[in-house]
Amino acid sequence: LGIANQLLATTALAVGTTVIIATGKQRYVWVTLLPLCFVATTTLTAGYLSTVNNFLKLGTVAGYVDAACTIALMICTVVLLVASVLTWRRKWQRPNQAASG
């Protein structure tokens, strides 16, 4: 449950960073980008370690379900992060269209 909560925070920070970039306020992007990098790195690492060292070692159905749910949430978050980075690159390559696009 803790990993899901932190992955939700990662999603919120990615969306916030995208909004800041889309509105042309790139000088404030560090306010959300730094916490995003920290939370994403620590949470994805913790999710991996928790899956490998805890859930899969249980060897029970509950352990496998927990592992599958954790992996699914992590994959969704990574997909969202990649999509966000691609959006940021497009906005930074065309800075004159940031406020209108």
Side-chain angles (χ1 to χ4, degrees):
L1 186 61
I3 292 171
N5 186 33
Q6 294 304 313
L7 290 176
L8 180 61
T10 301
T11 301
L13 287 167
V15 170
T17 303
T18 304
V19 168
I20 289 172
I21 292 170
T23 57
K25 309 274 189 197
Q26 282 87 351
R27 70 181 198 184
Y28 299 112
V29 77
W30 65 271
V31 174
T32 54
L33 190 58
L34 289 178
L36 169 62
C37 291
F38 177 76
V39 173
T41 302
T42 56
T43 306
L44 290 171
T45 302
Y48 170 77
L49 292 174
S50 184
T51 300
V52 171
N53 295 333
N54 296 329
F55 301 144
L56 294 178
K57 285 189 177 180
L58 290 175
T60 63
V61 172
Y64 294 129
V65 169
D66 287 344
C69 290
T70 302
I71 292 168
L73 286 171
M74 289 171 52
I75 289 171
C76 289
T77 302
V78 169
V79 167
L80 178 112
L81 288 173
V82 169
S84 295
V85 169
L86 293 175
T87 300
W88 304 340
R89 279 187 56 201
R90 279 195 308 271
K91 293 294 183 179
W92 277 329
Q93 289 173 349
R94 294 179 278 154
N96 55 347
Q97 298 176 0
S100 63

